[in-house]
Amino acid sequence: MSPSAGVTRNTLRQQIADALRDEVLAGRLPPGREFTVKQIAEQYGVSATPVREALFDLSAQGLLASDQHRGFQVREFTVADYRAMAEARALVVEGLFRNPAERVAVRPEGLASIRRRAAEAVRAAKGGDLDVLIGYDLRFWRELGQFVLNPYIADFLTRLRVQAWVFAVHRLRRDGMDENVLWFGHEELVEAIARGDREQVHAEMCSYYAHALAWADRLEAREAEGDGERNAEGRAEGNADGPAGPGSAVPPQSPQPPESPGHCA
Protein backbone atom coordinates (compact mmCIF):
# COMPACT_ATOMS: atom_id res chain seq x y z
CA MET A 1 0.00 0.00 0.00
CA SER A 2 1.37 3.41 -0.94
CA PRO A 3 1.79 6.12 1.74
CA SER A 4 -0.93 8.23 0.12
CA ALA A 5 -3.35 5.30 0.26
CA GLY A 6 -2.63 4.92 3.97
CA VAL A 7 -3.26 8.61 4.62
CA THR A 8 -6.51 8.50 2.63
CA ARG A 9 -7.78 5.47 4.53
CA ASN A 10 -6.87 6.97 7.90
CA THR A 11 -8.55 10.24 6.93
CA LEU A 12 -11.70 8.37 5.91
CA ARG A 13 -11.57 6.40 9.12
CA GLN A 14 -11.48 9.60 11.19
CA GLN A 15 -14.17 11.31 9.10
CA ILE A 16 -16.53 8.35 9.45
CA ALA A 17 -15.86 8.07 13.19
CA ASP A 18 -16.50 11.80 13.63
CA ALA A 19 -19.69 11.68 11.57
CA LEU A 20 -21.10 8.72 13.48
CA ARG A 21 -20.13 10.26 16.83
CA ASP A 22 -22.02 13.41 15.83
CA GLU A 23 -25.06 11.30 14.89
CA VAL A 24 -25.00 9.60 18.28
CA LEU A 25 -24.52 12.88 20.17
CA ALA A 26 -27.38 14.46 18.24
CA GLY A 27 -29.63 11.56 19.20
CA ARG A 28 -30.22 10.56 15.58
CA LEU A 29 -28.64 7.17 16.34
CA PRO A 30 -30.50 6.29 19.54
CA PRO A 31 -29.32 3.86 22.21
CA GLY A 32 -29.78 0.26 21.15
CA ARG A 33 -29.70 1.07 17.41
CA GLU A 34 -27.99 -1.78 15.53
CA PHE A 35 -26.08 -1.61 12.25
CA THR A 36 -23.40 -3.45 10.32
CA VAL A 37 -20.18 -2.45 8.60
CA LYS A 38 -21.86 -3.08 5.25
CA GLN A 39 -24.76 -0.75 6.02
CA ILE A 40 -22.49 2.12 7.04
CA ALA A 41 -20.16 1.55 4.08
CA GLU A 42 -23.12 1.73 1.69
CA GLN A 43 -24.47 4.82 3.43
CA TYR A 44 -21.20 6.73 2.99
CA GLY A 45 -20.23 5.12 -0.31
CA VAL A 46 -16.84 3.87 0.90
CA SER A 47 -15.11 0.53 1.33
CA ALA A 48 -15.61 -1.64 4.39
CA THR A 49 -12.08 -1.28 5.78
CA PRO A 50 -12.15 2.38 7.01
CA VAL A 51 -15.72 1.86 8.26
CA ARG A 52 -14.73 -1.20 10.29
CA GLU A 53 -11.77 0.69 11.77
CA ALA A 54 -13.95 3.70 12.62
CA LEU A 55 -16.54 1.50 14.33
CA PHE A 56 -13.87 -0.23 16.37
CA ASP A 57 -12.49 3.20 17.34
CA LEU A 58 -15.93 4.24 18.62
CA SER A 59 -16.25 0.91 20.44
CA ALA A 60 -12.92 1.56 22.16
CA GLN A 61 -14.27 4.96 23.24
CA GLY A 62 -17.25 3.23 24.85
CA LEU A 63 -19.88 4.65 22.47
CA LEU A 64 -20.65 1.41 20.62
CA ALA A 65 -20.95 -2.21 21.65
CA SER A 66 -19.79 -4.83 19.16
CA ASP A 67 -21.01 -8.37 18.62
CA GLN A 68 -19.30 -10.81 16.29
CA HIS A 69 -22.61 -12.01 14.84
CA ARG A 70 -24.92 -8.99 15.10
CA GLY A 71 -22.57 -6.15 14.18
CA PHE A 72 -22.51 -2.93 16.20
CA GLN A 73 -24.98 -1.26 18.52
CA VAL A 74 -25.16 2.22 20.04
CA ARG A 75 -24.39 1.67 23.69
CA GLU A 76 -27.19 2.17 26.22
CA PHE A 77 -25.89 3.93 29.32
CA THR A 78 -27.89 3.55 32.52
CA VAL A 79 -28.39 6.06 35.32
CA ALA A 80 -25.87 4.02 37.33
CA ASP A 81 -23.37 4.43 34.46
CA TYR A 82 -23.96 8.19 34.40
CA ARG A 83 -23.52 8.46 38.15
CA ALA A 84 -20.26 6.52 37.92
CA MET A 85 -19.04 8.86 35.15
CA ALA A 86 -19.74 11.95 37.25
CA GLU A 87 -18.10 10.48 40.33
CA ALA A 88 -15.03 9.37 38.36
CA ARG A 89 -14.56 12.83 36.85
CA ALA A 90 -15.01 14.45 40.24
CA LEU A 91 -12.36 12.24 41.84
CA VAL A 92 -9.85 12.86 39.06
CA VAL A 93 -10.35 16.64 39.07
CA GLU A 94 -10.15 16.70 42.86
CA GLY A 95 -6.78 14.97 42.61
CA LEU A 96 -5.55 17.39 39.96
CA PHE A 97 -6.16 20.42 42.17
CA ARG A 98 -4.57 19.00 45.29
CA ASN A 99 -1.20 20.09 43.97
CA PRO A 100 -1.94 22.08 40.81
CA ALA A 101 1.61 23.37 40.33
CA GLU A 102 2.65 19.87 39.28
CA ARG A 103 -0.47 18.84 37.36
CA VAL A 104 -2.10 21.97 35.88
CA ALA A 105 -0.49 24.79 33.91
CA VAL A 106 -2.88 27.64 33.11
CA ARG A 107 -1.82 29.54 30.01
CA PRO A 108 -3.36 33.05 29.95
CA GLU A 109 -3.26 33.16 26.15
CA GLY A 110 -5.63 30.17 26.03
CA LEU A 111 -8.27 31.75 28.25
CA ALA A 112 -9.74 34.04 25.56
CA SER A 113 -10.90 31.08 23.47
CA ILE A 114 -12.22 29.24 26.53
CA ARG A 115 -14.18 32.34 27.58
CA ARG A 116 -15.86 32.35 24.16
CA ARG A 117 -16.72 28.66 24.45
CA ALA A 118 -18.13 29.27 27.93
CA ALA A 119 -20.31 32.19 26.81
CA GLU A 120 -21.66 30.26 23.81
CA ALA A 121 -22.37 27.17 25.92
CA VAL A 122 -24.34 29.20 28.47
CA ARG A 123 -26.23 31.05 25.73
CA ALA A 124 -27.18 27.76 24.04
CA ALA A 125 -28.22 26.21 27.36
CA LYS A 126 -30.48 29.13 28.24
CA GLY A 127 -31.88 29.16 24.70
CA GLY A 128 -32.61 25.44 24.76
CA ASP A 129 -30.45 24.71 21.69
CA LEU A 130 -29.16 21.25 22.56
CA ASP A 131 -27.09 20.62 19.42
CA VAL A 132 -25.17 23.89 19.83
CA LEU A 133 -24.81 23.34 23.57
CA ILE A 134 -23.23 19.91 23.16
CA GLY A 135 -20.71 21.20 20.63
CA TYR A 136 -19.60 24.19 22.69
CA ASP A 137 -19.67 22.30 25.98
CA LEU A 138 -17.38 19.59 24.62
CA ARG A 139 -14.99 22.19 23.17
CA PHE A 140 -15.02 24.09 26.47
CA TRP A 141 -13.99 21.07 28.52
CA ARG A 142 -11.54 19.87 25.87
CA GLU A 143 -9.73 23.21 25.86
CA LEU A 144 -9.71 23.31 29.64
CA GLY A 145 -8.22 19.83 29.50
CA GLN A 146 -5.24 21.23 27.62
CA PHE A 147 -4.17 22.85 30.90
CA VAL A 148 -3.74 19.39 32.41
CA LEU A 149 -0.12 18.34 32.08
CA ASN A 150 -0.94 14.62 31.91
CA PRO A 151 -2.41 13.88 28.44
CA TYR A 152 -3.80 10.52 29.56
CA ILE A 153 -5.89 12.22 32.24
CA ALA A 154 -7.06 14.84 29.74
CA ASP A 155 -8.11 12.13 27.26
CA PHE A 156 -9.88 10.19 30.00
CA LEU A 157 -11.89 13.24 31.09
CA THR A 158 -12.85 14.05 27.49
CA ARG A 159 -13.99 10.49 26.86
CA LEU A 160 -16.17 10.49 29.97
CA ARG A 161 -17.69 13.82 28.97
CA VAL A 162 -18.66 12.46 25.53
CA GLN A 163 -20.17 9.35 27.13
CA ALA A 164 -22.14 11.53 29.55
CA TRP A 165 -23.67 13.45 26.65
CA VAL A 166 -24.57 10.18 24.90
CA PHE A 167 -26.44 9.22 28.06
CA ALA A 168 -28.10 12.62 28.42
CA VAL A 169 -29.10 13.66 24.90
CA HIS A 170 -32.18 11.51 24.32
CA ARG A 171 -33.40 12.10 27.88
CA LEU A 172 -33.09 15.86 27.42
CA ARG A 173 -34.97 15.72 24.13
CA ARG A 174 -37.69 13.70 25.85
CA ASP A 175 -37.99 15.68 29.08
CA GLY A 176 -36.82 19.16 28.08
CA MET A 177 -34.05 21.32 29.51
CA ASP A 178 -34.12 23.74 32.42
CA GLU A 179 -31.91 24.99 35.25
CA ASN A 180 -32.67 21.84 37.26
CA VAL A 181 -30.91 19.76 34.61
CA LEU A 182 -28.33 21.97 32.91
CA TRP A 183 -25.35 23.60 34.58
CA PHE A 184 -24.65 27.24 33.71
CA GLY A 185 -21.38 27.79 35.60
CA HIS A 186 -18.94 27.73 32.67
CA GLU A 187 -18.13 31.44 32.83
CA GLU A 188 -17.72 31.53 36.62
CA LEU A 189 -15.32 28.59 36.41
CA VAL A 190 -13.18 30.29 33.75
CA GLU A 191 -12.92 33.52 35.76
CA ALA A 192 -11.94 31.61 38.90
CA ILE A 193 -9.20 29.87 36.91
CA ALA A 194 -8.06 33.20 35.44
CA ARG A 195 -7.74 34.67 38.96
CA GLY A 196 -5.89 31.62 40.22
CA ASP A 197 -8.55 31.25 42.91
CA ARG A 198 -8.17 27.57 43.84
CA GLU A 199 -10.96 27.63 46.42
CA GLN A 200 -13.45 29.11 43.96
CA VAL A 201 -12.39 26.68 41.23
CA HIS A 202 -13.01 23.84 43.66
CA ALA A 203 -16.39 25.32 44.61
CA GLU A 204 -17.47 25.65 40.96
CA MET A 205 -16.42 22.07 40.21
CA CYS A 206 -18.32 20.88 43.28
CA SER A 207 -21.38 22.72 41.97
CA TYR A 208 -20.94 21.08 38.58
CA TYR A 209 -20.71 17.51 39.86
CA ALA A 210 -23.42 18.00 42.50
CA HIS A 211 -25.72 19.19 39.72
CA ALA A 212 -25.00 16.06 37.66
CA LEU A 213 -25.50 13.72 40.60
CA ALA A 214 -28.73 15.43 41.68
CA TRP A 215 -30.10 14.90 38.16
CA ALA A 216 -29.08 11.24 38.37
CA ASP A 217 -31.02 10.96 41.66
CA ARG A 218 -34.15 12.43 40.05
CA LEU A 219 -33.88 10.16 37.02
CA GLU A 220 -33.39 7.13 39.25
CA ALA A 221 -36.44 8.02 41.33
CA ARG A 222 -38.51 8.58 38.18
CA GLU A 223 -37.46 5.25 36.70
CA ALA A 224 -38.25 3.47 39.97
CA GLU A 225 -41.67 5.15 40.00
CA GLY A 226 -42.26 4.03 36.41
CA ASP A 227 -41.34 0.45 37.31
CA GLY A 228 -43.77 0.61 40.22
CA GLU A 229 -46.58 1.83 37.97
CA ARG A 230 -45.90 -0.92 35.43
CA ASN A 231 -45.92 -3.54 38.17
CA ALA A 232 -49.22 -2.17 39.49
CA GLU A 233 -50.73 -2.33 36.00
CA GLY A 234 -49.53 -5.91 35.67
CA ARG A 235 -51.14 -6.87 38.97
CA ALA A 236 -54.39 -5.18 37.97
CA GLU A 237 -54.46 -7.11 34.69
CA GLY A 238 -53.78 -10.35 36.56
CA ASN A 239 -56.60 -9.68 39.03
CA ALA A 240 -58.98 -8.96 36.18
CA ASP A 241 -58.55 -12.56 35.00
CA GLY A 242 -59.93 -13.97 38.27
CA PRO A 243 -59.22 -14.39 41.95
CA ALA A 244 -55.58 -14.72 42.88
CA GLY A 245 -54.46 -18.27 43.48
CA PRO A 246 -52.25 -19.58 46.24
CA GLY A 247 -48.83 -18.03 46.29
CA SER A 248 -49.82 -15.18 43.98
CA ALA A 249 -49.56 -12.41 46.56
CA VAL A 250 -47.25 -9.58 45.46
CA PRO A 251 -45.14 -7.88 48.15
CA PRO A 252 -45.76 -4.14 48.58
CA GLN A 253 -43.50 -1.79 46.66
CA SER A 254 -40.74 -0.17 48.66
CA PRO A 255 -41.08 3.62 49.11
CA GLN A 256 -39.40 5.72 46.43
CA PRO A 257 -36.17 7.49 47.39
CA PRO A 258 -36.47 11.24 47.90
CA GLU A 259 -34.77 13.62 45.53
CA SER A 260 -31.22 14.31 46.57
CA PRO A 261 -29.83 17.85 46.72
CA GLY A 262 -26.63 16.45 45.25
CA HIS A 263 -23.18 16.01 46.70
CA CYS A 264 -19.58 16.64 45.80
CA ALA A 265 -16.75 14.13 45.67
Side-chain angles (χ1 to χ4, degrees), residues 25-214:
L25 285 170
R28 290 187 287 270
L29 284 177
R33 173 71 175 273
E34 295 180 353
F35 46 82
T36 64
V37 171
K38 181 180 179 181
Q39 289 171 331
I40 299 300
E42 290 176 350
Q43 177 181 338
Y44 288 101
V46 297
S47 66
T49 298
V51 170
R52 185 178 296 106
E53 293 171 342
L55 294 177
F56 279 122
D57 286 346
L58 294 178
S59 297
Q61 295 170 26
L63 303 187
L64 302 180
S66 61
D67 183 278
Q68 183 177 358
H69 303 291
R70 299 175 63 184
F72 293 83
Q73 183 182 61
V74 179
R75 185 171 173 182
E76 296 189 66
F77 291 107
T78 66
V79 175
D81 290 328
Y82 178 74
R83 187 190 305 282
M85 294 172 201
E87 291 175 346
R89 293 201 312 268
L91 288 170
V92 171
V93 172
E94 179 83 12
L96 285 172
F97 280 93
R98 283 178 185 164
N99 192 351
E102 296 179 2
R103 299 185 177 94
V104 180
V106 178
R107 293 177 291 278
E109 66 275 11
L111 287 173
S113 175
I114 295 175
R115 282 191 175 99
R116 288 195 297 272
R117 307 298 188 202
E120 293 295 342
V122 172
R123 185 177 296 112
K126 292 181 177 178
D129 193 331
L130 188 56
D131 290 332
V132 173
L133 169 60
I134 292 173
Y136 276 111
D137 182 78
L138 287 175
R139 293 187 190 104
F140 171 80
W141 291 106
R142 189 179 300 118
E143 292 186 18
L144 272 186
Q146 294 175 2
F147 293 160
V148 177
L149 298 179
N150 186 322
Y152 295 97
I153 292 177
D155 289 345
F156 172 73
L157 292 172
T158 296
R159 181 172 302 188
L160 284 181
R161 188 64 189 153
V162 172
Q163 291 177 358
W165 272 119
V166 173
F167 165 84
V169 63
H170 71 282
R171 289 173 170 85
L172 293 174
R173 292 197 189 284
R174 178 193 67 195
D175 301 335
M177 302 185 297
D178 58 33
E179 66 276 5
N180 293 318
V181 175
L182 299 178
W183 180 75
F184 300 133
H186 300 72
E187 293 172 301
E188 289 80 0
L189 176 58
V190 175
E191 296 313 314
I193 291 172
R195 295 192 305 270
D197 187 341
R198 285 184 58 192
E199 290 187 3
Q200 189 60 36
V201 169
H202 184 261
E204 295 297 337
M205 294 305 299
C206 280
S207 167
Y208 173 62
Y209 292 119
H211 211 85
L213 292 169

